Amino acid sequence: MSTDFASLGVSPTILKALAAKGYETPTPIQAGSIPHLLDGADLLGIAQTGTGKTAAFAIPMLQILHEENERPRPTMPRALVMAPTRELAIQIKDACIEYGTGLGLKVAIVFGGVGQTPQVKALKAGVDILIATPGRLLDLMSQGHCKLSDVDILVLDEADRMLDMGFLPDVRRIMQKLPRDRQSLLFSATMPKDITALANKILYEPVRVEVTPPAATADLDIGAFDTPTFTGLPVGELQKARKRDLLVKLLEDPDFSRTLVFTRTKHGADRVVRHLVKQQIASHAIHGNKSQGARERALGEFRSGKATVLVATDIAARGIDVPEITHVINFD
């Protein structure tokens, strides 16, 4: 296994950007994927969030597009990355911008829940890499704001999440508009029957790279833990108010420096946050009823450590990668 990015064939400009971020040693999925992708192969990556898969596809995608040295045409992106959630799409966009520093490539993002005017404007200006959620992308395509006939590289990220969230019909409709002559990548943490069928349809003689997830359970999609320990507290049929008091007691321990709390419902998440804030514990809720701006602010403060607790529903937390999390609490 290669021990540095240079030995994988990564260009000096991208190496410089990686060094600025402190990235020196490739993760297993990066080492297993980057050389094949730089050679133009299709790829099936079986890996979770937290394994470094974003860099595994973003680095070669950026390098290939830069070496082709072509200008994107208005409304016609050269590469398309589809992700199931807005949060994951934003993380991918940020990573592409960071790794692509100095390459001069244009990166844009489209997702629902916000006005489309800035997204349309970005597409008209020409985009090298478009990161999109399927629903909003289909909307923009139906209005003539986005055409996919110039796409040379396709990435489907977290394909099993797309299945869980009901996006596969949209994905299949989008696939019909893509050129056949392209490089295709599919990443998924699991390979249920529908995803296997999709991979067989869109990938041509793919390289298969499979890595063991860093977390101890396949359902924990929140980054990597060094030494995970799982403990059950015998709370029995405690009333919710008493459970919230117990949660406060736990969070008063300084070891709980960055804690993710899962609740069953959106309203439950809000109630937990209100209770914590009253006890001077900096916390935010993230769920489907929150505006995009509120969700981004909550994630930003959680990542920076300004807020030590993030309370989330399962769906809202999908795709969030915060490796510094110290504790996960399943409140319900």
Side-chain angles (χ1 to χ4, degrees), residues 57-100:
F57 66 77
I59 290 171
M61 178 173 61
L62 289 161
Q63 185 162 324
I64 290 168
L65 294 174
H66 178 66
E67 290 174 352
E68 288 177 350
N69 195 28
E70 297 178 3
R71 293 178 59 88
R73 296 193 285 176
T75 74
M76 303 175 74
R78 300 171 60 206
L80 172 64
V81 181
M82 279 194 282
T85 66
R86 295 176 287 186
E87 287 74 24
L88 179 57
I90 291 169
Q91 289 183 28
I92 295 170
K93 179 207 71 173
D94 292 343
C96 287
I97 291 173
E98 290 173 352
Y99 306 150

Side-chain angles (χ1 to χ4, degrees), residues 109-129:
I109 183 171
V110 299
F111 51 75
V114 297
Q116 72 174 37
T117 300
Q119 299 174 2
V120 171
K121 185 176 179 181
L123 285 165
K124 285 183 177 179
V127 172
D128 292 290
I129 299 172

Side-chain angles (χ1 to χ4, degrees), residues 16-322:
K16 184 177 179 181
L18 294 174
K21 294 292 295 180
Y23 299 153
E24 298 177 356
T25 304
T27 66
I29 194 166
Q30 293 162 6
S33 301
I34 291 174
H36 295 293
L37 293 175
L38 289 174
D39 285 340
D42 284 9
L43 184 134
L44 172 61
I46 303 176
Q48 291 183 282
T49 296
T51 56
K53 64 181 172 63
T54 300
F57 66 77
I59 290 171
M61 178 173 61
L62 289 161
Q63 185 162 324
I64 290 168
L65 294 174
H66 178 66
E67 290 174 352
E68 288 177 350
N69 195 28
E70 297 178 3
R71 293 178 59 88
R73 296 193 285 176
T75 74
M76 303 175 74
R78 300 171 60 206
L80 172 64
V81 181
M82 279 194 282
T85 66
R86 295 176 287 186
E87 287 74 24
L88 179 57
I90 291 169
Q91 289 183 28
I92 295 170
K93 179 207 71 173
D94 292 343
C96 287
I97 291 173
E98 290 173 352
Y99 306 150
T101 300
L103 297 180
L105 297 174
K106 294 182 179 180
V107 181
I109 183 171
V110 299
F111 51 75
V114 297
Q116 72 174 37
T117 300
Q119 299 174 2
V120 171
K121 185 176 179 181
L123 285 165
K124 285 183 177 179
V127 172
D128 292 290
I129 299 172
L130 178 65
I131 299 106
T133 54
R136 173 54 62 90
L137 178 58
L138 266 181
D139 287 344
L140 295 176
M141 290 169 60
S142 67
Q143 298 173 52
H145 297 308
C146 184
K147 302 178 180 67
L148 303 181
S149 53
D150 278 2
V151 170
D152 288 330
I153 303 172
L154 167 72
V155 181
L156 292 184
D157 196 12
E158 300 202 357
D160 52 349
R161 298 295 194 194
M162 293 194 195
L163 172 65
D164 291 344
M165 299 174 74
F167 289 146
L168 280 200
D170 288 349
V171 170
R172 292 190 182 102
R173 289 173 62 190
I174 292 167
M175 298 297 302
Q176 294 174 359
K177 303 297 182 181
L178 289 162
R180 290 187 177 182
D181 184 14
R182 65 174 190 269
Q183 183 178 18
S184 300
L185 295 65
L186 186 148
F187 289 86
S188 188
T190 60
M191 291 299 294
K193 180 176 63 177
D194 287 343
I195 298 304
T196 299
L198 180 65
N200 289 337
K201 184 173 183 179
I202 72 171
L203 303 176
Y204 176 73
E205 297 182 353
V207 173
R208 181 185 176 109
V209 180
E210 186 169 0
V211 300
T212 302
T217 166
D219 293 329
L220 218 50
D221 192 21
I222 51 166
F225 297 88
D226 292 330
T227 53
T229 300
F230 296 89
T231 302
L233 296 180
V235 297
E237 296 299 321
L238 282 180
Q239 294 179 347
K240 286 293 178 70
R242 293 180 63 194
K243 282 175 69 176
R244 289 192 287 269
D245 289 338
L246 175 58
L247 178 62
V248 170
K249 292 289 186 184
L250 289 172
L251 295 174
E252 287 174 347
D253 185 333
D255 287 342
F256 285 67
S257 60
R258 192 161 301 171
T259 304
L260 177 60
V261 179
F262 283 112
T263 61
R264 185 174 59 84
T265 67
K266 303 170 186 176
H267 296 300
D270 288 334
R271 282 193 292 269
V272 168
V273 166
R274 285 196 295 269
H275 188 80
L276 296 179
V277 170
K278 286 181 180 178
Q279 304 301 317
Q280 282 76 52
I281 297 175
S283 58
H284 289 294
I286 179 170
H287 52 66
N289 285 355
K290 296 287 186 180
S291 69
Q292 181 61 25
R295 291 164 73 151
E296 290 182 26
R297 285 192 296 274
L299 279 172
E301 293 198 2
F302 186 57
R303 286 199 182 93
S304 70
K306 186 174 180 181
T308 59
V309 182
L310 184 69
V311 185
T313 55
D314 175 61
I315 292 294
R318 287 178 173 177
I320 296 173
D321 182 14
V322 184

